[in-house]
């Protein structure tokens, strides 16, 4: 029987990014890709990301967090999901700071500058082509050669690429709503240049302090918000010297404040996290899961 059968969950969202949080810290069991897909089924609790808290592996951390996309694949980072996890923990324990471990490393998190805000230290971005990863060498990842549409009149072209613990490509445009991201997203996510696929963002730099964006998420599709994409976009814009290191990001689901800290290169993401409801998983969801 699946460890998730009858197990408690919390349905939350991070500015519209649909998140389910499951606390398995008292269990030895993990979650398989099949179980993650079963949770995401229409009869389950549909989500963009499933945040699974497992027992801590390192002293001083609250949990080892596994992050699943709704196609069952795993991600190293999920900024919006982390704010949801942090809100839930802080409300239960009264803590105002915590450290978690994810596949991408340690994440420090704390109460933001207002009671409804949470800050996640998303770590340092990586720009090397092998780190993102890309399938071939690009010395300068501020812009790479990649385009959609006719060679002499591309519709989208020359994205910046960044790893925030997960792969991101950012296409710079004048109007983020002028493109059919549902059509181009899957093509670009699965382009052979990205051996581990990629999150695809359209971004418009409004001014040096403000960027608007939309993201097609690897393994989850079109979302109302992607926190790691907001970090990657802010960093890529600053790297191109087109924006300041502290910027406000407007996503379809709301706003995030991003600071790319000079002193240690870390990216801090601040925003809200909303609780929707809690419940227990119907065991029938996992009946056909091995
Ligand atoms: N929504 C997340 C990112 C989710 C992970 C992504 N789909 C991936 O597989 O890399 C966020 O808020 O960062």
């Amino acid at each position: 029987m699946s460890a998730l059968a009858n197990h408690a969950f919390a349905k939350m969202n991070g500015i519209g990014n649909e998140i389910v949080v499951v606390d398995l810290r008292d269990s030895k069991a993990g979650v398989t890709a099949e179980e993650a897909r079963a949770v995401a089924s229409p009869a389950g609790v549909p989500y963009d990301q499933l945040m699974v808290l497992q027992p801590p592996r390192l002293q001083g951390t609250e949990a080892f967090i596994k992050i699943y996309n709704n196609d069952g694949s795993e991600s190293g980072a999920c900024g919006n999901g982390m704010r949801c996890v942090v809100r839930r923990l802080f409300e239960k324990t009264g803590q105002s700071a915590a450290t978690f471990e994810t596949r991408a490393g340690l994440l420090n998190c704390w109460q933001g500058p207002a009671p409804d805000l949470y800050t996640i230290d998303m770590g340092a971005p990586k720009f090397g082509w092998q780190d993102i990863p890309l399938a071939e060498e690009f010395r300068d990842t501020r812009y790479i050669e990649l385009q959609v549409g006719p060679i002499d009149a591309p519709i989208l072209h020359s994205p910046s690429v960044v790893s925030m613990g997960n792969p991101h490509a950012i296409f710079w445009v004048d109007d983020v709503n002028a493109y059919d991201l549902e059509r181009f997203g899957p093509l670009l996510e699965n382009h052979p240049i990205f051996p581990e696929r990629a999150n695809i963002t359209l971004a418009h730099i409004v001014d040096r302090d403000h960027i608007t964006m939309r993201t097609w998420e690897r393994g989850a599709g079109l979302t109302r918000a992607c926190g790691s994409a907001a970090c990657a976009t802010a960093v890529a814009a600053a790297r191109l010297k087109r924006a300041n290191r502290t910027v406000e990001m407007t996503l379809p689901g709301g706003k995030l404040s991003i600071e790319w800290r000079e002193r240690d290169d870390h990216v801090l993401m601040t925003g809200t996290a909303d609780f929707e409801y809690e419940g227990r998983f119907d065991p029938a969801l996992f009946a056909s899961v091995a």
Side-chain angles (χ1 to χ4, degrees):
M1 157 109 64
S2 164
L4 294 183
N6 283 316
H7 202 284
F9 67 83
K11 173 67 182 63
M12 304 184 73
N13 75 79
I15 59 166
N17 197 182
E18 305 294 345
I19 304 293
V20 171
V21 180
V22 181
D23 190 348
L24 283 183
R25 281 180 295 173
D26 57 357
S27 160
K28 286 201 178 73
V31 169
T32 64
E34 252 188 310
E35 288 172 313
R37 280 193 293 272
V39 171
S41 66
V45 191
Y47 64 82
D48 298 316
Q49 275 79 41
L50 173 67
M51 310 292 288
V52 181
L53 277 65
Q54 300 193 163
R57 307 191 307 183
L58 296 174
Q59 216 179 1
T61 61
E62 303 290 334
F64 176 71
I65 301 192
K66 278 208 167 189
I67 303 164
Y68 291 90
N69 293 309
N70 60 27
D71 72 351
S73 60
E74 272 191 62
S75 176
C78 179
N80 292 324
M82 283 310 302
R83 292 198 315 283
C84 293
V85 167
V86 165
R87 172 176 174 166
R88 194 124 177 105
L89 178 82
F90 288 1
E91 282 180 351
K92 283 191 170 178
T93 64
Q95 281 170 256
S96 58
T99 303
F100 294 91
E101 188 191 2
T102 68
R103 227 177 57 184
L106 294 183
L107 295 180
N108 291 319
C109 315
W110 56 92
Q111 188 75 57
D116 63 338
L117 293 177
Y118 303 89
T119 300
I120 313 295
D121 178 343
M122 298 283 286
K126 291 189 185 141
F127 304 117
W129 68 274
Q130 303 97 325
D131 294 320
I132 288 161
L134 301 176
E136 62 185 80
E137 179 174 350
F138 280 91
R139 278 161 180 255
D140 185 353
T141 52
R142 286 176 300 178
Y143 292 112
I144 66 162
E145 227 172 90
L146 173 64
Q147 65 178 53
V148 174
I151 195 121
D152 50 350
I155 299 166
L156 290 168
H157 66 94
S158 313
S160 301
V161 288
V162 179
S163 169
M164 284 304 312
N166 55 350
H168 292 273
I170 303 108
F171 289 85
W172 306 104
V173 298
D174 288 336
D175 177 358
V176 298
N177 295 311
Y179 299 84
D180 188 353
L181 192 51
E182 248 171 318
R183 187 169 142 232
F184 299 129
L187 297 176
L188 290 162
E189 172 193 358
N190 294 293
H191 191 283
I193 194 70
F194 302 118
E196 294 179 12
R197 302 190 282 161
N199 297 287
I200 307 299
T201 291
L202 301 178
H204 169 59
I205 301 174
V206 179
D207 59 43
R208 295 192 62 81
D209 302 313
H210 184 205
I211 299 173
T212 57
M213 57 179 280
R214 285 168 73 210
T215 301
W216 172 271
E217 278 194 12
R218 173 178 73 160
L222 207 55
T223 56
R224 290 179 55 71
C226 178
S228 51
C231 296
T233 303
V235 160
R239 207 173 163 224
L240 289 168
K241 311 260 182 270
R242 294 180 60 194
N244 294 326
R245 291 179 75 109
T246 298
V247 277
E248 183 179 271
M249 310 295 296
T250 300
L251 296 80
K255 288 186 189 307
L256 291 172
S257 163
I258 309 292
E259 177 190 356
W260 185 15
R261 201 162 54 184
E262 198 108 45
R263 76 172 150 85
D264 59 1
D265 206 33
H266 282 207
V267 184
L268 309 186
M269 177 201 57
T270 300
T272 55
D274 290 318
F275 172 78
E276 294 176 14
Y277 59 91
E278 54 195 354
R280 287 187 178 275
F281 291 119
D282 180 349
L285 281 176
F286 309 104
S288 60
V289 171

